[in-house]
């Protein structure tokens, strides 16, 4: 694991998640997010990335999922029984996959709802808004448009900005790159890095875009079929031959041609 | 011409009464995306509570307060025992639940307060205002005017509440996306309890007005049906829409009742009375074809 000197904000200890009492989705996932770091949770479709995030934020129950084994701790305290409302108050907030902005509310109203859990005066609220607009200047220009009519990138920014309004210490960011143009993806990730270094917010981000995620993250976990199959520093993972082959589409022979896409040169050594 | 205006004004004022009921629907629809079939039953429950408490000797003001307490408790109980179990279920499941709720109320309320029809006296007389009668030769009911005033205040308050307050914003957020609202820490339970409480209050106001006008009886539950065309015209999600829809429905049904039958009789002969009863529904049907979201409703946002 990482050096013991690092303070773990969030630690998940071998959790198991079952949907609808029958479908076993996570089979003992453990991971740690140190304070002030960006941790990437990587893997293909259906690997269990979103489920892991929802298990932490406790949005699972609304989808008939249940954490049946293991524990989730935040700053040394168990949080697996807390409601999302209490979690947000403690500083853990999730930005859901697919953005989920309130389409009929304006961008500014969206941001304001983010501060629902915060007892703020009108002046403080304004200050916070300005701070979010500082990080997301695009949102300021669209502040009075209905969120449903803004672009995908703007909605993603709105969703992150809305989470910021709740004064989080840790953001669980689910698939921020989904459906966005590569340039916008970079823009969003740059802001994430900014928030991380300047506001000290820790991130756990689930991503399919391994390349971008490893570029910005400090640490990464690779999830496959509900299990962590690999973990390590982002740089380490980037240079790992398996990761290159299976997740980055690179092999020692350089970029793969589509012709031999079916024939991996390597075997996934973690499959027994 | 005076007659025309008399009919028009009378219609507008009765439209306000429809709007009062429609408001309750709008509130719950806005906050949970559910058509609350039980709204009519809630109007009945509220009116019956007031009448029942007065029968037991409580003065009007106390009876109204007691009824308010009953409606609030009812709202909280609905959230606790019905809605909370149905989070993230498809809207149709919630809709069915409200139908069940309607029957539950319609059964329980008379059991507690008795089912015989009774009068409700608010101390406002239903008589023509002398000024209009003398100056314009028009019959405008004092009661209707008071009802219109009450409704306007209610609508203005609710509109402000939705647009400018923290809780109002949260209500609209919940209506848009339950899960996202949950994820940013808005407690759905509180929000729903508040909404049902407010809807109960609106039902109480509607119950007082309708009860005083038509008597407190089981037929009050059918006021809900009159609110339907109002909602289709005004839009299910708009507080001002409920009021405008109510005005249009009220005015048009009264005017239609007066002016259409002679025309039809001229064409086909015979008697065409009672148009008032079905005209609003025809109007609503036509409206659905042209503008399904209503005059002020939120358009469904689709990105292409």
């Amino acid at each position: 694991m990482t050096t013991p000197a690092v303070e773990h904000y969030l630690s998940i200890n071998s959790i198991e998640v079952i949907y609808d009492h029958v479908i076993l989705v996570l089979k003992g996932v453990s991971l740690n997010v140190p304070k002030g770091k960006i941790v990437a949770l990587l893997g293909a479709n259906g690997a269990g990335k979103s489920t892991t995030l929802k298990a932490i934020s406790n949005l699972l129950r609304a989808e008939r999922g249940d954490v049946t084994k293991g524990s989730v701790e935040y700053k040394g305290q168990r949080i697996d029984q807390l409601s999302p409302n209490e979690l947000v108050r403690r500083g853990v907030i999730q930005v859901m996959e697919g953005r989920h902005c309130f389409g009929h509310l304006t961008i500014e109203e969206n941001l304001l709802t983010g501060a629902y859990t915060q007892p703020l005066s009108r002046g403080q609220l304004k200050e916070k808004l300005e701070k979010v607009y500082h990080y997301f200047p695009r949102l300021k220009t669209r502040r009075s448009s209905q969120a449903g009519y803004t672009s995908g990138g703007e909605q993603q920014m709105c969703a992150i900005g809305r989470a910021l309004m709740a004064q989080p210490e840790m953001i669980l960011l689910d698939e921020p790159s989904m459906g966005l143009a590569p340039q916008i993806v970079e823009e969003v990730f740059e802001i994430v890095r900014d928030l991380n270094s300047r506001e000290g917010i820790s991130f756990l981000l689930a991503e399919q875009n391994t390349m971008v995620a490893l570029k910005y993250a400090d640490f990464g976990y690779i999830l496959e079929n509900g299990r962590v199959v690999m973990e390590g520093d982002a740089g380490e993972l980037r240079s790992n031959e398996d990761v290159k082959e299976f997740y980055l589409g690179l092999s020692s022979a350089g970029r793969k041609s589509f012709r031999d896409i079916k024939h991996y040169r390597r075997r996934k050594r973690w499959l027994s | 011409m005076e007659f025309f205006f008399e009919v028009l004004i009378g219609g507008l004022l009765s439209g306000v009464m429809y709007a009062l009921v429609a408001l309750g629907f709008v509130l719950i629809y806005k906050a949970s995306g559910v058509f609350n079939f039980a709204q009519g039953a809630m109007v009945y429950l509220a009116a019956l509570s007031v009448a029942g408490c007065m029968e037991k000797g409580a003065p009007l003001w106390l009876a109204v307060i007691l009824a308010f307490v009953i409606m609030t408790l009812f709202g909280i109980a609905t959230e606790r025992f019905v809605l909370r179990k149905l989070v993230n279920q498809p809207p149709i499941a919630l809709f069915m639940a409200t139908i069940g709720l309607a029957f539950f109320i319609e059964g329980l309320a008379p059991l507690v307060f008795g089912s015989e029809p009774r009068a409700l006296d608010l101390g406002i007389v239903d008589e023509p205002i002398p000024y209009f009668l003398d100056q314009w030769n028009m019959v405008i009911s004092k009661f209707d005017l008071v009802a219109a005033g009450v409704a306007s205040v209610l609508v203005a308050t609710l509109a402000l509440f939705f647009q400018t307050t923290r809780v109002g914003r949260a209500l609209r957020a919940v209506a848009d996306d339950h899960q996202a609202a949950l994820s940013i820490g808005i407690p759905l339970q509180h929000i729903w309890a508040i909404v049902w409480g407010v809807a109960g209050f609106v039902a109480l106001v509607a119950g007082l007005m309708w009860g005083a006008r038509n008597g407190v009886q089981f037929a009050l539950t059918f006021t809900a049906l009159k609110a339907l065309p109002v909602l289709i015209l005004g839009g299910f999600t708009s507080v001002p829409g409920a009021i405008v829809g109510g005005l249009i429905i009220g005015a048009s049904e009264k005017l239609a009742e007066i002016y259409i039958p002679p025309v039809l009789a001229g064409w086909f002969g015979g008697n065409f009375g009672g148009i008032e009863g079905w005209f609003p529904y025809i109007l609503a049907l036509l409206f659905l074809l042209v503008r399904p979201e209503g005059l002020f409703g939120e358009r469904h946002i689709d990105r292409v």
Side-chain angles (χ1 to χ4, degrees):
Chain A
M1 291 269 154
T2 44
T3 43
V6 180
E7 188 190 341
H8 287 322
Y9 247 21
L10 181 76
S11 46
I12 302 178
N13 309 310
S14 48
I15 54 166
E16 203 177 272
V17 169
I18 297 183
Y19 280 108
D20 265 336
H21 301 291
V22 281
I23 309 160
L24 181 64
V25 179
L26 294 188
K27 304 159 186 166
V29 169
S30 299
L31 56 86
N32 293 303
V33 183
K35 181 177 178 180
K37 298 284 180 196
I38 302 178
V39 173
L41 193 55
L42 307 165
N45 260 340
K49 304 185 298 292
S50 295
T51 302
T52 308
L53 294 198
K54 284 182 196 156
I56 303 167
S57 63
N58 252 326
L59 291 174
L60 264 188
R61 220 158 293 152
E63 294 181 2
R64 314 204 150 228
D66 234 331
V67 180
T68 47
K69 274 184 200 155
S71 66
V72 183
E73 284 176 15
Y74 182 65
K75 290 180 175 173
Q77 285 175 317
R78 287 195 65 158
I79 54 168
D80 23 333
Q81 295 305 319
L82 295 183
S83 70
N85 171 263
E86 284 168 290
L87 270 173
V88 172
R89 283 175 198 276
R90 290 202 192 186
V92 183
I93 193 164
Q94 175 164 9
V95 176
M96 290 167 68
E97 180 180 0
R99 310 186 267 274
H100 286 270
C101 289
F102 303 121
H104 291 107
L105 272 62
T106 65
I107 292 284
E108 184 148 312
E109 285 174 329
N110 262 280
L111 297 179
L112 288 172
T113 53
Y116 185 85
T117 49
Q118 307 294 308
L120 296 174
S121 72
R122 210 169 270 261
Q124 286 168 311
L125 215 52
K126 222 179 162 86
E127 224 168 84
K128 285 211 89 134
L129 268 180
E130 282 311 316
K131 197 162 149 191
V132 172
Y133 287 143
H134 167 74
Y135 282 103
F136 301 97
R138 272 163 180 268
L139 292 185
K140 189 161 191 174
T141 58
R142 305 298 309 266
R143 64 202 295 174
S144 50
S145 334
Q146 281 195 336
Y149 289 116
T150 60
S151 74
E154 284 157 351
Q155 289 189 13
Q156 184 64 59
M157 293 177 187
C158 173
I160 299 176
R162 188 175 65 188
L164 280 182
M165 295 292 288
Q167 192 89 34
E169 291 170 331
M170 154 136 243
I171 296 181
L172 312 169
L173 192 50
D174 199 351
E175 207 83 37
S177 74
M178 193 172 96
L180 300 183
Q183 204 184 345
I184 307 288
V185 173
E186 292 279 338
E187 198 178 330
V188 169
F189 272 88
E190 283 293 339
I191 296 170
V192 167
R193 180 190 270 166
D194 252 18
L195 289 170
N196 172 254
S197 59
R198 283 203 259 167
E199 305 287 325
I201 299 172
S202 317
F203 282 88
L204 174 59
L205 60 97
E207 253 305 343
Q208 287 198 41
N209 191 335
T210 313
M211 187 90 83
V212 180
L214 285 180
K215 181 174 161 196
Y216 289 93
D218 300 301
F219 203 81
Y221 289 86
I222 295 181
L223 220 57
E224 214 167 88
N225 285 324
R227 284 198 182 88
V228 175
V229 293
M230 204 183 284
E231 60 182 271
D233 284 326
E236 239 169 70
L237 288 178
R238 255 199 317 262
S239 54
N240 181 298
E241 291 298 324
D242 284 338
V243 176
K244 275 190 188 170
E245 169 104 27
F246 300 121
Y247 292 99
L248 301 178
L250 302 167
S251 66
S252 43
R255 207 167 258 280
K256 214 185 239 306
S257 127
F258 279 107
R259 203 175 339 147
D260 12 271
I261 204 92
K262 277 187 193 144
H263 311 291
Y264 289 118
R265 288 157 156 270
R266 305 170 67 86
R267 250 177 69 77
K268 290 186 175 178
R269 60 176 165 67
W270 52 82
L271 297 177
S272 49
Chain B
M1 206 57 197
E2 274 120 7
F3 181 63
F4 172 79
F5 279 111
E6 184 182 318
V7 174
L8 181 66
I9 292 173
L12 288 175
L13 291 175
S14 71
V16 169
M17 299 279 283
Y18 300 147
L20 271 178
V21 184
L23 264 182
F25 282 102
V26 169
L27 281 174
I28 290 181
Y29 191 85
K30 259 179 104 85
S32 45
V34 174
F35 181 80
N36 176 24
F37 195 82
Q39 192 65 34
M42 281 165 72
V43 172
Y44 177 50
L45 173 64
L48 203 56
S49 308
V50 175
C53 290
M54 286 176 80
E55 221 162 58
K56 302 231 157 60
L60 179 65
W61 62 270
L62 185 61
V64 170
I65 290 174
L66 285 174
F68 178 60
V69 171
I70 290 174
M71 295 313 290
T72 309
L73 288 179
F74 171 77
I76 293 169
T78 305
E79 188 280 317
R80 181 73 190 79
F81 298 111
V82 184
L83 298 175
R84 196 176 290 186
K85 317 272 183 213
L86 294 174
V87 178
N88 259 29
Q89 296 296 318
I92 189 74
L94 285 151
F95 173 65
M96 297 302 276
T98 65
I99 294 183
L101 201 61
F103 285 118
F104 174 70
I105 299 171
E106 285 164 15
L108 183 75
L111 208 67
V112 178
F113 294 109
S115 60
E116 66 283 2
R118 50 205 120 176
L120 184 62
D121 184 13
L122 298 181
I124 314 161
V125 278
D126 197 359
E127 63 186 20
I129 299 168
Y131 171 79
F132 286 101
L133 204 55
D134 301 341
Q135 293 287 317
W136 306 92
N137 197 23
M138 282 193 275
V139 181
I140 306 284
S141 156
K142 204 170 174 178
F143 180 86
D144 284 351
L145 215 56
V146 171
V150 169
S152 330
V153 171
L154 198 64
V155 168
T157 319
L158 287 175
L160 273 177
F161 170 70
F162 269 111
Q163 287 305 321
T164 61
T165 66
R166 185 176 81 116
V167 174
R169 243 188 336 258
L171 286 176
R172 286 188 294 145
V174 170
D176 248 26
D177 193 330
H178 292 186
Q179 268 234 308
L182 204 60
S183 81
I184 56 168
I186 295 175
L188 290 188
Q189 282 98 353
H190 294 188
I191 295 295
W192 279 341
I194 291 173
V195 164
W196 280 76
V198 176
F201 174 69
V202 173
L204 172 61
V205 176
L208 284 173
M209 294 300 162
W210 279 92
R213 150 137 295 187
N214 292 354
V216 177
Q217 52 183 326
F218 189 73
L220 276 182
T221 57
F222 302 125
T223 54
L225 296 179
K226 261 286 157 63
L228 263 178
V230 173
L231 290 166
I232 291 170
L233 243 75
F236 275 86
T237 49
S238 168
V239 170
I243 225 55
V244 176
L247 292 177
I248 295 176
I249 291 291
S252 62
E253 72 172 17
K254 294 288 185 292
L255 290 175
E257 176 70 26
I258 301 294
Y259 292 106
I260 293 183
V263 179
L264 289 182
W267 289 348
F268 307 109
N271 184 12
F272 286 92
I275 280 186
E276 195 180 349
W278 51 262
F279 186 79
Y281 299 96
I282 295 291
L283 202 62
L285 196 61
L286 292 176
F287 231 82
L288 273 179
L289 297 177
V290 183
R291 203 180 155 91
E293 71 271 17
L295 283 173
F296 295 89
E298 282 168 344
R299 274 165 184 269
H300 187 72
I301 299 180
D302 267 325
R303 298 188 70 235
V304 279

